[in-house]
């Protein structure tokens, strides 16, 4: 029997609803249940793929090629359950499906309305593509009271009725702010938020209350009284130092116990040893390294969520604290600025789009190559490293990427054709921008004597992609003569996936996004090895 837990948020955004949902799922999993997490996003975009990282943070890509909300990254990292296309939906997707159905005449002349047609489509989505999961946790994006969120709240209200209490539960995440003048945590915003939810017919079963300090019992009782739940169903969600402490902290506050009580199920205590181990390693490192991340969206670190997590995982694997030095690549385009890289033990150029800052990334790759500092180029960071080698070692002075317009030597060019599961995909300059990149997991063969083969300890791998351009195979020989080898390729040998410079302590560029598959319990081998190389580097300087 699948039970559904609906998680809404109130009072303020950015309270960590995604993390809270992921943490609860991991606790249920630690009690032996099979879980799945879903996110319903009320915005109108069909998916976040076309949104600026400044607006929405990172676009998380699943194995099956969906461009999704970054919360799905938390879900995967906390539960190790691979998310699917069917785990994230937006108002835009729901409406475009409903309208397409209407155009096909499938509503048989009905007047299409939010209730029941849009809400039915939402309910169908929530209930679809479920195997034998015992719990499906559905997070509703935004905060209660948002206009866009109403159809989703109505849909989950109806679902609660249809499924019955023994198969559904509503959890509301709120904030108890501390007001210094009063010297108290205040409950009023939470009371209002719970009432707002009641206005749309949903009585929260459990309140998860964020607070920056212990919540006195008297306040818990008060929240319970005014919000119509038992005191035990007011669960403190206190600030913690590391996100890996969240499941442990929630457990100590009784969250999973209360959820089990709601559903009338009894299990043994959750098995939290692996979380304790991760927390121990994260909190008690044996040393530290400093890594420069040279990017374009460093003003909003959510744009690099999975990346900073994967770097932290690499640190956990090496018992090392990884300090990140975020640098806007544009700074390397003017004046004498390269000294910003002098004190770091590794340089990472992450994925990115467009010309702005590209030359600065090329300068960063040049610095790392010449100074023999470990370099990790991801997607765009690989492409720019190849351009740098082509220009400065292979003597191809006009080397560039057609992403920035026509160029004489397009070392990086538009990918016009590729295969996926036997299906041929074609693109050109005029293709739609949304959902048309090479997306999702693709296999890659690793070169026999390559460093990546050693690192992965496997002859072939599968990694997730999100790009439109690729390194041009025609330049393979010239690059090899210059000291850069293509050490990973698509199985048909057509698409370059990995480059490396063998005569360098650690210089690797990958066309895919390994950060999307790193987990605290299973740090990604490339990140583990990059941090190991950075530790070696730190011993030199
Ligand atoms: N802009 C590059 C491309 O589309 C790189 C994309 C990325 O870094 N994710 O190929």
């Amino acid at each position: 029997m699948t039970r559904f837990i609906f998680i809404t948020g109130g009072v303020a955004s950015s309270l960590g609803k995604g993390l809270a949902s992921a943490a609860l799922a991991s606790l249920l999993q630690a009690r032996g249940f099979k879980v799945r997490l879903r996110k319903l996003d009320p915005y109108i975009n069909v998916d976040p793929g076309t949104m600026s990282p400044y607006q929405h943070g990172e676009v998380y890509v699943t194995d099956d090629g969906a461009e999704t909300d970054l919360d799905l990254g938390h879900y995967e990292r906390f539960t190790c359950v691979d998310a699917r296309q069917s785990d994230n939906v937006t108002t835009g997707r729901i409406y475009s499906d409903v309208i397409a159905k209407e155009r096909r005449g499938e509503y048989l002349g009905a007047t299409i309305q939010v209730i029941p047609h849009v809400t039915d489509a939402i309910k169908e989505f929530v209930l679809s593509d479920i195997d034998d999961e015992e719990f499906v946790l559905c997070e509703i994006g935004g905060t209660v009271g948002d206009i866009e969120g109403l159809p989703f709240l109505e849909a989950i209200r109806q679902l609660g009725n249809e499924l019955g209490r023994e198969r559904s539960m509503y959890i509301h995440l709120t904030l108890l702010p501390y007001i210094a003048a009063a010297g108290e945590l205040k409950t009023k915003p939470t009371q209002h938020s719970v009432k707002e939810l009641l206005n749309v017919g949903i009585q929260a079963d459990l309140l998860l209350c964020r607070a920056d300090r212990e919540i006195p019992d008297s306040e818990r009782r008060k929240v319970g009284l005014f919000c119509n739940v038992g005191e035990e169903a007011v669960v403190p969600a206190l600030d913690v130092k590391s996100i890996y402490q969240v499941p442990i902290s929630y457990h100590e506050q009784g969250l999973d116990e209360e959820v089990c009580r709601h559903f009338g199920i009894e299990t043994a205590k959750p098995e939290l040893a692996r979380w304790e181990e991760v927390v121990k390693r994260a909190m008690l490192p044996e040393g530290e390294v400093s890594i420069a991340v040279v990017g374009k969206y460093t003003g909003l670190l959510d744009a690099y969520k999975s990346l900073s997590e994967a770097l932290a995982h690499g640190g956990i694997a090496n018992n090392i604290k990884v300090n990140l030095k975020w640098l806007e690549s544009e700074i390397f385009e003017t004046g004498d600025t390269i000294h910003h890289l002098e004190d770091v033990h590794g340089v990472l150029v992450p994925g990115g789009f467009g010309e702005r800052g590209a030359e600065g990334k090329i300068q960063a790759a040049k610095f790392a190559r010449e100074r023999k500092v470990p370099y990790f180029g991801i997607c765009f960071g690989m492409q720019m490293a190849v351009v740098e080698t082509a220009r400065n070692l292979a003597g191809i002075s006009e080397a560039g990427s057609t992403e920035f317009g026509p160029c004489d030597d397009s070392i990086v060019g538009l990918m016009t054709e590729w295969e996926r599961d036997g299906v041929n995909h074609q693109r050109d300059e005029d293709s739609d921008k949304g959902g048309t990149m090479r997306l999702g997991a693709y296999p890659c063969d690793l070169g026999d004597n390559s460093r990546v083969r050693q690192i992965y300890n496997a002859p072939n791998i599968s990694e997730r992609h999100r790009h439109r351009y690729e390194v041009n195979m025609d330049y393979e020989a010239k690059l090899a003569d210059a000291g850069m080898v293509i050490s990973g390729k698509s199985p048909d040998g057509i698409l370059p996936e990995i480059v490396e410079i063998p005569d360098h302590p650690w210089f690797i560029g990958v066309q895919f996004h390994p950060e999307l598959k790193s987990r605290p319990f299973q740090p990604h081998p490339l990140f583990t090895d990059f941090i190991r190389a950075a530790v070696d580097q730190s011993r030199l300087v």
Side-chain angles (χ1 to χ4, degrees), residues 13 31 61-62 76 82 93 97 107 199 214 217 226 247 284 311 313 324 388 413 423 449 458 464-465 489 498 538:
S13 57
R31 283 181 178 259
V61 180
T62 57
E76 283 203 8
D82 285 338
R93 163 86 59 206
D97 288 355
Y107 288 110
N199 277 343
E214 293 280 335
D217 284 347
F226 281 97
L284 298 169
L311 284 161
H313 303 160
L324 300 182
E388 192 279 317
V423 179
N449 298 314
R464 298 182 192 171
H465 292 67
K489 291 181 186 167
I498 307 179
S538 72

Side-chain angles (χ1 to χ4, degrees), residues 324-344:
L324 300 182
K325 184 170 180 181
W326 297 96
L327 296 169
E328 270 294 311
S329 60
E330 271 180 311
I331 65 166
F332 298 118
E333 293 173 4
T334 47
D336 178 19
T337 47
I338 210 74
H339 62 87
H340 287 292
L341 293 177
E342 240 136 42
D343 57 347
V344 300

